[in-house]
Amino acid sequence: MIEISHVNKWYSPSFQVLKDCTTSVAKGEVVVVCGPSGSGKSTLIKCVNALEPFQDGSITIDGLKVNDSKTNLPKLRSRVGMVFQHFELFPHLKIIDNLCLAQQKVLGRGREEAIAKGRKLLERVGLKEQAEKFPAQLSGGQQQRVAIARALAMDPIAMLFDEPTSALDPEMISEVLDVMVDLAREGMTMMVVTHEMGFARKVAHRVIFMDRGEIVEDAKKDEFFGQPRSERAQQFLSKIL
Ligand code: ADP
Ligand code: MG
C-alpha cells in the first residue's frame, strides 16, 4: 500500500534529514516507527502524505506516485488519513461540523450523508453525545478521538499517526490507544510514530527504528522486542521500556 524507496531529503544543502530511507507498509499492516527526538520520524511520515517535499527517491501510495507533478495531491491526501500530536480541529466549528467539512468540500458528499457518516464515527469513538459541542469544550483525549473520526470520515485507504498521544495527560492516553487498537484489529493499514511500546506489542506487525535520518532497524515485532540487531535500537529500548 505504501512504498518508500531510497528517499533522501535535505532541509538545507548542509542538513540531510532523511538518508536513503526504504521501507513499505502492506495492506492491512500496522507499522510502528520509533526513535530518538530529531531522528526524522515526523519528516518521513509527512513525506508519505506529500506534506513535505523530498529531493530524491520515490514514494507511492496504492500505486500512485507522491512525488509526481501529474498526481492529484489533494485527492491523494484525502485518501490518506493523518492524525497529529496536536489535534488540529477547527476551533470555530462544532464537532459534527469538523467531521463534515472535508466530506462535503473534498468528497462532494451531501450534508445529510456527511452528518450521518459523522455521527456513526462519533459513536464508534465513543463520543456520540459530543456532536454539538465545540473542540475547546472537550478534553484532549476526546479531541484526539474526534481527529481520528474526522480522518476516518474520508474512507481512507491508510492512516498515518504522528505521536498521537504524546501531548495528552497520562489518564487520557489509553482512550486514544484503544480506538487505534480497534482500528488496527479491523485491518486498517497504519503507519504510527509512537513511543507507546504497549501499543506496538499489541498490534504492530513491524517496528521501524530511526536514528539520525536513517532507518536503522526494520524488523518483525517479535524480533524487534526480542533482540534488536543494532546497538542504537537496544540503547533506545532500554531507555523507554
Ligand atoms: P522527529 O519527528 O524524529 O523528532 P523531525 O522529523 O521532526 O524528527 O526532525 C528531524 C530533524 O529535522 C530535526 O533535527 C529537526 O530539527 C529538523 N527539522 C524538522 N523540520 C524542519 C524544517 N521545517 N526545517 C528545517 N529543519 C527541520
Ligand atoms: Mg516528530
Side-chain angles (χ1 to χ4, degrees), residues 36-43 45-46 85 162-163 193:
S37 174
S39 56
K41 306 179 298 294
S42 294
T43 302
I45 211 162
K46 282 184 196 149
Q85 184 173 352
D162 191 1
E163 303 208 33
V193 177

Side-chain angles (χ1 to χ4, degrees), residues 165-180:
T165 59
S166 55
L168 297 176
D169 291 335
E171 74 271 19
M172 292 172 191
I173 291 176
S174 65
E175 68 189 57
V176 172
L177 290 178
D178 287 348
V179 168
M180 293 168 60

Side-chain angles (χ1 to χ4, degrees), residues 196-212:
E196 293 292 337
M197 290 299 134
F199 171 82
R201 279 180 196 276
K202 242 189 230 170
V203 293
H205 298 102
R206 287 185 8 251
V207 180
I208 288 173
F209 172 76
M210 289 185 74
D211 193 18
R212 289 174 240 163

Side-chain angles (χ1 to χ4, degrees), residues 129-182:
E129 315 299 330
Q130 317 295 333
E132 302 302 324
K133 292 191 179 159
F134 286 91
Q137 295 172 282
L138 269 53
S139 72
Q142 289 175 322
Q143 289 188 54
Q144 193 59 300
R145 284 186 280 151
V146 171
I148 295 171
R150 183 176 63 177
L152 292 175
M154 305 298 282
D155 294 324
I157 52 174
M159 288 279 289
L160 310 175
F161 294 84
D162 191 1
E163 303 208 33
T165 59
S166 55
L168 297 176
D169 291 335
E171 74 271 19
M172 292 172 191
I173 291 176
S174 65
E175 68 189 57
V176 172
L177 290 178
D178 287 348
V179 168
M180 293 168 60
V181 166
D182 283 347

Side-chain angles (χ1 to χ4, degrees), residues 96 99-100 103 109-123:
I96 188 67
L99 274 101
C100 288
Q103 290 191 68
R109 285 186 185 145
R111 179 81 185 151
E112 305 259 295
E113 188 190 356
I115 288 181
K117 178 109 187 168
R119 289 199 184 276
K120 210 168 91 193
L121 284 164
L122 279 181
E123 182 160 8

